[in-house]
Amino acid sequence: MLARDLNQVERRCVLMHELVHDERGIPEVPSAAEEAAVEREVARRLIPLNDLLRVARMCLPAEEAAEELWVTEDVLTCRLASLDGGERFAWRAMLADLAEHEPC
């Protein structure tokens, strides 16, 4: 059961977290590496790259960007920290374009 004091965004993130654990099989004693892998997968699933790039172009502070993406700031931070090679390329290209045409 989800904690009653969570807001809707927090419930969404926690539920996805638990679903990913369930899919991966929950070890008796989850390691830090397992928890980090789950967090990365949660962030990837909840924030598709196109949505991340769209919100980045809005030049919002992290709190507002997370709100726009309907995730917690922790999930947003994890997503940004765990971009894969192709995603990093798209991210850098978007930032270069933004700096050239629409600086924040």
Side-chain angles (χ1 to χ4, degrees):
M1 178 187 280
L2 295 175
R4 294 182 186 267
D5 62 338
L6 299 176
N7 65 38
Q8 190 66 26
V9 166
E10 292 166 334
R11 283 192 296 261
R12 178 176 184 254
C13 294
V14 168
L15 180 58
M16 180 60 72
H17 183 97
E18 295 308 321
L19 289 171
V20 171
H21 266 305
D22 188 58
E23 289 173 4
R24 293 174 61 92
I26 302 170
E28 283 187 39
V29 180
S31 67
E34 173 65 15
E35 199 60 29
V38 168
E39 288 298 326
R40 286 190 302 272
E41 182 61 19
V42 167
R44 186 190 64 76
R45 289 186 189 187
L46 292 178
I47 308 173
L49 181 61
N50 288 339
D51 290 346
L52 181 62
L53 296 175
R54 175 185 55 81
V55 170
R57 288 185 179 281
M58 298 168 73
C59 300
L60 301 171
E63 181 180 351
E64 291 177 33
E67 184 177 318
E68 180 71 25
L69 292 163
W70 214 42
V71 296
T72 63
E73 284 186 65
D74 288 342
V75 171
L76 175 56
T77 299
C78 180
R79 182 66 169 111
L80 289 169
S82 61
L83 294 173
D84 67 26
E87 292 172 332
R88 277 193 299 275
F89 180 81
W91 179 259
R92 287 182 186 128
M94 183 275 308
L95 289 177
D97 183 61
L98 190 61
E100 185 176 323
H101 296 103
E102 314 163 30
C104 294

